[in-house]
Amino acid sequence: MAPWMLDLLVLPLFYSLLLLQYSPSTFAKFQPRYFPSSITHPKSQSLHTNNKLYKTKYFTQILDHFNYNPQSYQTFQQRYLVNDTFWGGPKINAPIFVYTGNEGNIEWFAQNTGFMYDIAPEFKALLVFIEHRYYGKSIPYEGNKKKAYKNSKTLGYLSSTQALADYATLIVDLKNNLTAIDSPVIVFGGSYGGMLAAWFRLKYPHVAIGALSSSSPILQFENITSQYSFNNIITQDFRSESENCYKVIKGSWKEIEETARTRRGLELLRKSFHICKNYISGDYLEGWLSTAFIYTAMTDYPTPSNFLAPMPAYPIKQMCKAIDSLKLGNNTFAKLYHAANIYYNYTGDVSCFDFLDDSDPHDLGGWQWQACTEMVMPTSGNNKESIFPASTYSFEGHAQYCEEAYSVKSRPTWITTEFGGHDITRVLKRFGSNIIFFNGLRDPWSGGGVLKSISKSIIAIVEKEGAHHVDLRFSTNEDPEWLRDVRNREISIMKSWISEYYQNIVDSDAH
Ligand SMILES: *[C@@H]1O[C@H](CO)[C@@H](O)[C@H](O)[C@H]1NC(C)=O
Ligand SMILES: *[C@@H]1O[C@H](CO)[C@@H](O)[C@H](O)[C@H]1NC(C)=O
Ligand SMILES: *[C@@H]1O[C@H](CO)[C@@H](O)[C@H](O)[C@H]1NC(C)=O
Ligand SMILES: *[C@@H]1O[C@H](CO)[C@@H](O)[C@H](O)[C@H]1NC(C)=O
Ligand SMILES: *[C@@H]1O[C@H](CO)[C@@H](O)[C@H](O)[C@H]1NC(C)=O
């Protein structure tokens, strides 16, 4: 087992592409704990199934918002998606709902943020989904991804601060074009996109009147949140389902490591887990399994879903059912195999599991750079009770990896310097307004979220049954009562922001 685990936000696809270029010895040293091929599930949702949801547009964006050095005058094409079907238009100052894109293809996020579609008619809202620079089709350097991702010189423009400035620039320009200057804007986002939404409201209050920030771990920096919190929540998710399930998983790591020591053992593991015949190691297998547990905890939704992979409702329950099954006796590997199948092979059409699969259907690879530079989020600590082997987070390990991968120095304190985070209640009590922080307590990222309301208009909505940005998904007839309640609360809060805003316009016109 690698002595440290990399700390990733949602969808830490990232170690794949780079690491595979390393020599075997370097590779072993930087073995990612969270092996990424999980997300590259062959049955991941196709990006082209729902293309009737929006029109695709491009905007000429400035590469470097913060520099007047002529070398920085370059531009790139930024993609954004628009749905104007429900918009009431500028005459009535109908609102504009903007999704602040995360680390991936914006179409994927648009298709998974059904909440905005569900409420657009009621609000007569224009829907806009803006792609984050360096992801999807919003690639600087003439759209040439190879060039844009070449090294730290070309990747240097990939930062959250630049992304927020992109969003502000685009929104202001779009409102001008639509002659909708007075239409109120509300920003939406989940996970990293939710962090961006909250920060956008704080940095650009003149552009957005409010933010719905869902499952955004804005406090998962430095040591504001314990490094053990993330894995403790996963542990709790499985343990509260079944003590036996927790114990089997917890006990399995040692058995895997011991078995992996010999060639015969490795072949046994390959057979037990249906691993393809190209590569296997104990570390990879452990990474592959923990990835399944981590992402299943994140997406432990009450209805069937297809965000990271097709999954049944309450997948943790299903995994533990497989593990607790009496039919498998005390065969740990068979139990784990069946559990992993729920994450990796729910549709049943994977022929073997490929540890070398580094495909990236949602285009999340740029997160590796972001995690190396500013998104340094310590989540990998495991205490004695953890479902994973005990370990502590090492910033040194992280920094060393980033130095070797990109020749870049991590700045672990930059995010709190730029956006805050320390003593957030005290700070935001007298500064800032109109932010909803939603968190579901089954979500491992909820430990780094804002779980207590800060003021009358900076409101925490916490749902103990909820998982990662569950509120943003399309509503279904099977949604439980608590989920409807969460969404209704969000709707009524946003309505109050908008009516207050309209009142303010009337008041200022009267003067
Ligand atoms: C907007 O979304 C709705 C589904 O909610 C869809 O029926 C409509 O065609 C979309 N409009 C555009 C312009 O894409
Ligand atoms: C606004 O209109 C100009 C001129 O047609 C266009 O170049 C620009 O891309 C538009 N802005 C947005 C955000 O679409
Ligand atoms: C957080 O880190 C700082 C700086 O390393 C240290 O001074 C402080 O005591 C730490 N706080 C906690 C709660 O560990
Ligand atoms: C598993 O069960 C078999 C048969 O009951 C038994 O011989 C074996 O010792 C058990 N193994 C473990 C690890 O408990
Ligand atoms: C995937 O599931 C199907 C149906 O249950 C099964 O036949 C197949 O062997 C599974 N694939 C792997 C790699 O285990």
Side-chain angles (χ1 to χ4, degrees):
M1 174 81 45
W4 56 282
M5 295 196 271
L6 294 168
D7 299 271
L8 323 172
L9 190 52
V10 58
L11 321 174
L13 190 46
F14 43 94
Y15 291 94
S16 53
L17 310 171
L18 260 133
L19 281 166
L20 292 174
Q21 293 158 11
Y22 275 73
S23 67
S25 61
T26 323
F27 188 51
K29 193 162 162 200
F30 294 104
Q31 172 62 51
R33 169 64 193 272
Y34 298 169
F35 183 68
S37 80
S38 56
I39 306 119
T40 65
H41 189 286
K43 277 282 134 185
S44 278
Q45 176 172 325
S46 155
L47 289 178
H48 303 290
T49 47
N50 288 327
N51 53 10
K52 292 256 166 57
L53 285 175
Y54 40 73
K55 283 181 272 188
T56 302
K57 312 239 178 190
Y58 286 88
F59 174 62
T60 301
Q61 186 60 268
I62 294 165
L63 181 61
D64 186 357
H65 295 281
F66 306 107
N67 199 319
Y68 293 94
N69 176 345
Q71 278 185 351
S72 301
Y73 291 176
Q74 297 175 62
T75 57
F76 68 98
Q77 293 303 302
Q78 179 164 34
R79 178 167 62 167
Y80 68 100
L81 314 174
V82 179
N83 185 312
D84 58 5
T85 300
F86 312 106
W87 195 36
K91 281 217 182 79
I92 59 163
N93 291 332
I96 302 175
F97 290 172
V98 175
Y99 189 91
T100 49
N102 337 14
E103 74 287 20
N105 186 319
I106 191 64
E107 294 186 276
W108 184 46
F109 295 111
Q111 289 161 14
N112 281 287
T113 311
F115 181 59
M116 289 171 68
Y117 283 92
D118 286 340
I119 65 176
E122 189 177 351
F123 283 87
K124 295 186 168 35
L126 175 69
L127 303 182
V128 181
F129 300 85
I130 314 179
E131 190 159 68
H132 194 294
R133 55 168 59 204
Y134 285 81
Y135 295 94
K137 295 227 182 316
S138 302
I139 308 289
Y141 299 95
E142 299 88 44
N144 182 337
K145 192 165 175 191
K146 243 192 168 149
K147 218 163 148 187
Y149 276 73
K150 189 161 178 236
N151 54 36
S152 53
K153 217 166 145 179
T154 57
L155 277 166
Y157 303 101
L158 169 50
S159 73
S160 54
T161 330
Q162 296 276 13
L164 292 177
D166 290 342
Y167 299 153
T169 306
L170 196 155
I171 292 168
V172 168
D173 198 63
L174 181 67
K175 287 180 79 174
N176 270 323
N177 284 4
L178 298 170
T179 59
I181 309 303
D182 286 336
S183 281
V185 171
I186 295 179
V187 284
F188 291 67
S191 199
Y192 170 53
M195 296 159 72
L196 293 173
W199 293 336
F200 192 86
R201 169 64 187 156
L202 296 174
K203 292 288 187 194
Y204 297 92
H206 49 292
V207 183
I209 67 157
L212 172 55
S213 172
S214 180
S215 296
S216 62
I218 58 167
L219 305 180
Q220 193 75 60
F221 290 91
E222 297 169 45
N223 54 10
I224 301 172
T225 299
S226 159
Q227 56 161 300
Y228 302 107
S229 137
F230 187 88
N231 289 321
N232 277 345
I233 294 170
I234 298 171
T235 301
Q236 185 54 31
D237 287 346
F238 281 89
R239 201 167 189 176
S240 62
E241 191 57 50
S242 137
E243 183 72 16
N244 178 65
C245 178
Y246 157 76
K247 277 194 177 141
V248 168
I249 297 172
K250 186 169 174 57
S252 68
W253 310 110
K254 216 172 144 203
E255 200 174 333
I256 291 171
E257 272 162 42
E258 278 165 9
T259 309
R261 284 204 188 113
T262 66
R263 249 181 114 116
R264 248 181 80 192
L266 275 177
E267 281 315 306
L268 172 70
L269 291 172
R270 185 198 293 286
K271 230 174 124 195
S272 306
F273 288 94
H274 300 206
I275 310 300
C276 302
K277 286 220 154 61
N278 50 11
Y279 184 79
I280 186 169
S281 77
D283 274 353
Y284 262 80
L285 179 59
E286 290 182 347
W288 182 80
L289 285 170
S290 32
T291 300
F293 300 138
I294 292 165
Y295 288 110
T296 301
M298 277 168 59
T299 56
D300 196 35
Y301 296 136
T303 54
S305 66
N306 188 2
F307 184 50
L308 301 168
M311 297 260 259
Y314 292 117
I316 287 188
K317 203 184 247 353
Q318 301 300 322
M319 278 191 164
C320 285
K321 221 164 129 186
I323 287 173
D324 291 344
S325 162
L326 296 174
K327 273 189 284 184
L328 300 172
N330 60 9
N331 186 340
T332 307
F333 297 156
K335 285 168 183 279
L336 293 179
Y337 162 74
H338 283 282
N341 248 292
I342 288 162
Y343 181 70
Y344 289 111
N345 185 25
Y346 187 58
T347 51
D349 48 13
V350 183
S351 56
C352 65
F353 298 116
D354 185 358
F355 282 1
L356 294 186
D357 178 5
D358 62 356
S359 57
D360 182 2
H362 303 306
D363 194 28
L364 311 163
W367 185 253
Q368 181 168 353
W369 164 263
Q370 292 197 257
C372 271
T373 48
E374 54 184 21
M375 293 296 160
V376 182
M377 306 175 80
T379 55
S380 53
N382 287 291
N383 58 24
K384 275 211 301 249
E385 293 285 290
S386 173
I387 198 163
F388 303 115
S391 65
T392 47
Y393 168 75
S394 155
F395 173 69
E396 291 67 35
H398 182 95
Q400 190 191 344
Y401 167 76
C402 297
E403 186 73 50
E404 298 201 10
Y406 297 106
S407 309
V408 74
K409 281 213 176 354
S410 297
R411 294 182 195 164
T413 60
W414 170 242
I415 289 294
T416 62
T417 307
E418 171 71 0
F419 300 115
H422 293 288
D423 301 311
I424 191 163
T425 302
R426 180 161 50 74
V427 172
L428 291 189
K429 207 170 192 135
R430 306 217 183 284
F431 169 78
S433 63
N434 293 5
I435 304 176
I436 300 168
F437 289 105
F438 168 78
N439 278 283
L441 296 184
R442 283 176 194 250
D443 175 12
W445 291 110
S446 64
V450 175
L451 300 178
K452 282 204 181 115
S453 290
I454 290 173
S455 66
K456 257 194 177 143
S457 72
I458 301 184
I459 297 167
I461 298 181
V462 177
E463 173 48 57
K464 73 177 190 329
E465 298 297 322
H468 204 48
H469 51 64
V470 61
D471 55 331
L472 295 184
R473 305 181 59 228
F474 273 109
S475 63
T476 74
N477 291 333
E478 286 76 48
D479 288 340
E481 199 61 29
W482 58 259
L483 184 50
R484 289 166 207 253
D485 288 347
V486 164
R487 290 185 180 133
N488 286 338
R489 273 189 76 190
E490 292 173 347
I491 290 167
S492 93
I493 293 166
M494 289 189 286
K495 276 190 177 155
S496 74
W497 296 344
I498 291 172
S499 54
E500 187 177 61
Y501 170 83
Y502 287 150
Q503 192 55 50
N504 289 344
I505 291 189
V506 173
D507 292 350
S508 58
D509 282 354
H511 287 125

